Amino acid sequence: LLLERDLHFICWLMMATFLSPCPLLLLLVQFILSFELEIYASAFVANRLPIAPRRNIGRGTPFFHQPNRYSPPKRVVSQSSASANDGDVAEVPGSEELDRLLEVAVVASKSAGKLITEFSQGAAVTKLKANPRDLLTEVDPLCEKIIRETILETFPTHAILGEEGVPPGKEASAAALDGMLRNPTSDFLWIVDPIDGTTNFVHGMPLCMPSVAVAYKGMVVAGVIYDPHRDECFSAKAGHGATLNGNAMKVGEQSSIGDAVVAMGSPPALESLEMSLRGVQGLMPVVRTIRMLGSAALMLAWVACGRLTCYWEYDLSSWDIAAGALLVKEAGGEFTDLDGNPYDLRVRKMIASNGKVHREVLDTLHKAGVV
């Protein structure tokens, strides 16, 4: 680091030796040498030795400023972590780690999606879960097995919460999530729905797909929803935006509830069904139209890319919405619970929108008695 200064000193010293027979010139050189030594002494005292300029590497970036190959977790303000009303700062993994997480999520989703398309004509129901409208096929656990194995091959220490490993019912799903958040075995938790839209799948409707999300210390940082029927891969990383097949996507531009295309569910549980009926009665007269597609993952992905303006549901599990929540927020939309509070993994009553009609739709639901 001191090479340039060292060369100066050596050159003056050689001149002093060469010019020693000439008294006047020797005095001049001695004066310069004393000045150089004074600079060195001051630098040592101040603990800041002069540093010779370094040749830049690459596109004008100094060599000593090159980033580490593996960047540690950093604190960023992410659309997925900040609420609608604040600028909370949250810790997320480094960019390279996020890339690895997303890459594995994409591979896992596409592998499961390939199996789903092999049953494009439908699949037999092997079990009823919470009620006769909550179905399970032989393919659901196979898809989850594919996703689990793909994740653990690269991240053997990460935790996984999958729908098929949890007993049916909202109490069981909430308890399973709560247990993994309170007693984590890893900073990373994968949240997996192997086939979102199982009823559609049973009846051969191409509106069913895997949903895979990764949470880091309780915050969703990567998410993938892969529609194998249209070969559309919706993906997002916290703080890096959302994409559809690699191209940036954003929510719709509708600013009035009258122009909004609103999606909602047809839930199996009686309480949720009652609230959904109240909601449709309140919304139908004031929105452009209402759609029920039978897949929370698909409806969230379509809000994120602008095909839908808004989607709400009275009760969903974490695996239904974790990936989609990140997609919507990273695409510039808004995602809250039905009271307008910011999203976290425990949220079950949810609404996602382009942000511009969010409050209007919420107010309409509240007036209709959705509580």
Side-chain angles (χ1 to χ4, degrees):
L1 294 176
L2 302 178
L3 179 60
E4 182 178 330
R5 184 68 66 184
D6 291 340
L7 289 174
H8 289 170
F9 187 88
I10 291 169
C11 287
W12 287 118
L13 188 61
M14 291 175 65
M15 289 179 65
T17 303
F18 180 76
L19 297 172
S20 56
C22 304
L24 290 176
L25 289 176
L26 180 60
L27 285 173
L28 176 62
V29 171
Q30 287 175 336
F31 173 79
I32 295 173
L33 281 172
S34 65
F35 180 73
E36 292 277 338
L37 289 171
E38 184 177 350
I39 293 176
Y40 264 79
S42 300
F44 273 107
V45 170
N47 195 26
R48 50 180 179 84
L49 290 176
I51 298 176
R54 283 300 188 95
R55 181 173 59 87
N56 288 352
I57 305 295
R59 298 186 177 182
T61 304
F63 174 78
F64 44 82
H65 286 158
Q66 291 293 313
N68 293 332
R69 178 173 175 80
Y70 298 104
S71 50
K74 58 183 179 178
R75 294 173 66 79
V76 300
V77 177
S78 161
Q79 293 187 60
S80 62
S81 63
S83 72
N85 301 314
D86 61 33
D88 291 343
V89 178
E91 185 178 331
V92 300
S95 180
E96 288 195 8
E97 184 72 4
L98 281 176
D99 289 342
R100 292 180 66 218
L101 293 168
L102 192 67
E103 180 182 355
V104 171
V106 168
V107 171
S109 299
K110 289 189 173 184
S111 299
K114 182 179 180 182
L115 180 60
I116 290 172
T117 56
E118 293 176 5
F119 291 82
S120 59
Q121 301 304 310
V125 175
T126 57
K127 182 180 178 182
L128 301 178
K129 297 168 78 175
N131 58 56
R133 294 184 295 276
D134 193 3
L135 310 179
L136 178 70
T137 74
E138 62 180 351
V139 186
D140 291 78
L142 294 178
C143 285
E144 183 164 316
K145 182 174 182 290
I146 289 172
I147 294 171
R148 281 180 175 272
E149 289 176 349
T150 304
I151 294 167
L152 294 176
E153 183 178 355
T154 305
F155 303 107
T157 63
H158 287 194
I160 301 174
L161 175 64
E163 180 180 10
E164 305 314 323
V166 177
K170 67 178 184 180
E171 293 81 7
S173 63
L177 173 66
D178 191 63
M180 300 195 86
L181 293 178
R182 287 180 181 275
N183 302 291
T185 58
S186 168
D187 284 341
F188 292 92
L189 174 62
W190 293 71
I191 304 159
V192 175
D193 191 345
I195 306 179
D196 189 76
T198 302
T199 300
N200 290 343
F201 178 62
V202 167
H203 292 275
M205 290 186 279
L207 300 167
C208 49
M209 60 210 61
S211 176
V212 178
V214 191
Y216 176 72
K217 295 184 178 180
M219 189 191 85
V220 181
V221 296
V224 173
I225 294 172
Y226 175 62
D227 181 351
H229 310 287
R230 281 161 284 276
D231 192 25
E232 291 185 331
C233 185
F234 304 84
S235 63
K237 296 182 294 183
H240 294 265
T243 64
L244 168 54
N245 287 346
N247 300 312
M249 66 177 180
K250 64 177 183 177
V251 294
E253 297 292 338
Q254 298 81 14
S255 58
S256 168
I257 192 172
D259 297 326
V261 178
V262 178
M264 55 182 292
S266 176
L270 291 179
E271 180 186 13
S272 303
L273 179 59
E274 180 186 349
M275 293 300 169
S276 294
L277 292 174
R278 292 183 187 181
V280 75
Q281 286 181 322
L283 288 169
M284 185 68 80
V286 297
V287 302
R288 173 165 291 168
T289 188
I290 288 179
R291 293 289 181 265
M292 296 182 182
L293 304 179
S295 167
L298 180 64
M299 289 184 275
L300 287 169
W302 281 14
V303 170
C305 72
R307 295 172 188 169
L308 295 171
T309 314
C310 179
Y311 164 53
W312 76 278
E313 191 100 33
Y314 191 74
D315 186 59
L316 290 172
S317 296
S318 58
W319 46 73
D320 296 314
I321 57 179
L326 184 67
L327 288 174
V328 170
K329 289 205 161 196
E330 290 295 329
E334 189 170 352
F335 196 111
T336 69
D337 68 12
L338 291 180
D339 291 323
N341 299 313
Y343 167 76
D344 63 48
L345 284 173
R346 290 185 172 90
V347 166
R348 299 184 65 88
K349 303 174 183 180
M350 53 69 58
I351 177 170
S353 78
N354 67 350
K356 298 180 179 181
V357 302
H358 202 85
R359 178 47 58 183
E360 281 189 277
V361 175
L362 266 181
D363 289 345
T364 303
L365 291 173
H366 292 163
K367 289 176 183 177
V370 177
V371 294

